[in-house]
């Protein structure tokens, strides 16, 4: 009898070999002899086997568009059924999937992706006014279209004032009307955002853990203004993203030293103006 091309044995010898039993390498269960040495259950959870199967699927999907289409059609048909929707809701509720999503959202990759998406969607908005735009919609309850108009008006006002201050346009030229965005922002937040503008940094950088020298002055200026309006050092520390109130005390001490500097003193005056900003009666009406 001619031997088989796969096993190298004749039919009778092959049947004798298959009748013998062996043990699974993992669970020691009696199994028929095979190349892997694992039973069906253990081979399914074996990492090497899973990686091998995944590589095989990827090769098939890369070279078989028809298979990709078939799998897509099957998935859409399956997920569109009411039974699947009900099972999904039950699974999410039972496993509290939203909590796991919140935890994973803090990963470095998720944060980087979120910043990229945010920068793309808010490309129209000046970087220093993006926190104000978000605050208008989230806390002020203003629709996106109206919030965008307010932000663009505010940017026009800031730009006109900057030009007047540096003599780029003729002094005395009528400025654009004050944007009403500031009335929707808490005084402390206005101070923080003005500090970001004056010192050419971002709000996120001021509140970050970065101890670079360029962030010391804006923090000291903000702390000085807030302390002058009755804020305690622990409250100032929490507002700027710190836990230890001694950090705020150091900022206040540094601010007292820097007040002799004319540029720093002018910056503090601008922050005071941001705190006491009042919308003109004509616009408030």
């Amino acid at each position: 009898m001619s031997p088989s091309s796969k096993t190298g044995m004749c039919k009778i010898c092959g049947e004798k070999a298959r009748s013998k039993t062996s043990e699974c390498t993992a669970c020691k269960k009696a199994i028929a002899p095979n190349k892997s040495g694992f039973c069906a259950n253990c081979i399914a959870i074996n990492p090497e086997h899973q990686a091998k199967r995944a590589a095989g699927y990827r090769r098939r999907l890369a070279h078989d568009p028809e298979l990709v289409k078939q799998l897509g059609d099957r998935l859409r048909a399956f997920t569109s059924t009411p039974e699947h929707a009900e099972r999904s809701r039950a699974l999410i509720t039972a496993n509290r999937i939203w909590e796991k999503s919140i935890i994973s959202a803090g990963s470095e990759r998720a944060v980087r992706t979120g910043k990229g998406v945010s920068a793309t969607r808010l490309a129209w908005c000046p970087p220093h006014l993006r926190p104000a735009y978000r605050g208008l919609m989230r806390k002020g309850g203003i629709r996106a279209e109206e919030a965008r108009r307010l932000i663009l008006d505010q940017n026009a006002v800031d730009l006109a004032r900057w030009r007047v201050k540096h003599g780029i346009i003729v002094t005395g030229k009528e400025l654009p009307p004050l944007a009403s965005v500031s009335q929707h922002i808490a005084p402390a937040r206005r101070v923080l955002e003005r500090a970001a503008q004056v010192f050419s940094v971002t709000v996120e950088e001021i509140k970050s853990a970065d101890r670079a020298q360029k962030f010391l002055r804006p923090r000291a200026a903000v702390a000085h203004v807030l302390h002058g309006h009755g804020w305690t050092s622990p409250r100032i520390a929490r507002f700027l993203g710190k836990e230890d109130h001694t950090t705020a005390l150091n900022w206040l001490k540094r601010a007292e030293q820097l007040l002799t500097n004319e540029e720093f003193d002018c910056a503090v005056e601008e922050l005071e103006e941001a705190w006491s900003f009042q919308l003109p009666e004509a616009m408030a009406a």
Side-chain angles (χ1 to χ4, degrees):
M1 185 177 295
S2 59
S4 169
S5 58
K6 292 184 178 180
T7 63
M9 295 185 291
C10 66
K11 183 176 181 181
I12 297 175
C13 294
E15 291 178 354
K16 289 181 179 180
R18 285 192 294 272
S19 65
K20 297 179 181 180
T21 59
S22 180
E23 281 188 349
C24 173
T25 306
C27 66
K28 306 304 180 182
K29 178 182 176 181
I31 59 173
N34 58 58
K35 294 181 180 180
S36 68
F38 294 95
C39 65
N41 292 334
C42 294
I43 193 66
I45 61 175
N46 182 271
E48 295 182 1
H49 178 71
Q50 290 177 342
K52 186 176 180 180
R53 289 187 63 184
Y57 282 132
R58 283 194 291 269
R59 286 194 297 271
R60 287 188 62 189
L61 294 174
H63 299 89
D64 192 347
E66 186 62 27
L67 175 62
V68 175
K69 184 177 181 302
Q70 292 177 3
L71 292 176
D73 293 341
R74 289 171 58 186
L75 179 62
R76 283 187 289 272
F78 175 72
T79 55
S80 61
T81 60
E83 294 81 4
H84 177 269
E86 185 63 31
R87 282 197 300 270
S88 297
R89 283 193 293 269
L91 179 64
I92 291 172
T93 303
N95 295 304
R96 302 180 68 85
I97 299 298
W98 60 88
E99 294 181 352
K100 299 178 181 179
S101 300
I102 292 173
I103 294 173
S104 62
S107 64
E108 181 180 353
R109 181 178 180 183
V111 171
R112 187 168 60 250
T113 302
K115 288 183 177 180
V117 172
S118 178
T120 300
R121 292 178 177 176
L122 297 179
W124 61 269
C125 183
H128 67 282
L129 290 177
R130 288 175 185 174
Y133 174 72
R134 298 188 184 100
L136 288 173
M137 292 194 300
R138 295 174 184 173
K139 298 180 181 179
I142 298 176
R143 299 182 64 179
E145 182 179 359
E146 178 66 12
R148 178 169 180 166
R149 185 186 66 79
L150 292 172
I151 291 296
L152 292 177
D153 288 347
Q154 182 69 52
N155 188 55
V157 171
D158 293 342
L159 182 58
R161 287 174 173 168
W162 182 85
R163 286 175 173 170
V164 170
K165 181 178 179 180
H166 292 81
I168 298 177
I169 62 175
V170 179
T171 303
K173 183 178 180 181
E174 183 179 357
L175 296 176
L178 287 174
S180 56
V181 61
S182 295
Q183 69 172 335
H184 300 284
I185 304 175
R189 184 70 187 184
R190 291 200 299 266
V191 170
L192 183 59
E193 292 174 1
R194 183 64 63 85
Q197 298 176 33
V198 171
F199 292 96
S200 301
V201 294
T202 65
V203 171
E204 290 75 13
E205 288 174 335
I206 295 177
K207 301 180 71 172
S208 70
D210 195 331
R211 303 180 65 180
Q213 188 68 21
K214 66 177 181 178
F215 304 137
L216 175 60
R217 288 195 169 199
R219 290 167 183 163
V222 172
H224 178 78
V225 172
L226 296 183
H227 187 260
H229 289 277
W231 282 44
T232 62
S233 56
R235 188 181 180 188
I236 295 172
R238 288 194 300 271
F239 179 70
L240 294 180
K242 304 297 183 292
E243 296 181 358
D244 191 352
H245 76 283
T246 57
T247 305
L249 293 177
N250 290 332
W251 292 333
L252 293 172
K253 182 178 179 181
R254 182 61 174 165
E256 292 296 332
Q257 297 171 352
L258 290 171
L259 284 174
T260 56
N261 181 282
E262 184 178 354
E263 292 183 0
F264 185 82
D265 188 53
C266 291
V268 170
E269 289 181 3
E270 291 201 30
L271 301 193
E272 288 286 358
E273 291 179 2
W275 174 278
S276 57
F277 176 85
Q278 295 292 334
L279 193 66
E281 295 182 2
M283 293 190 65

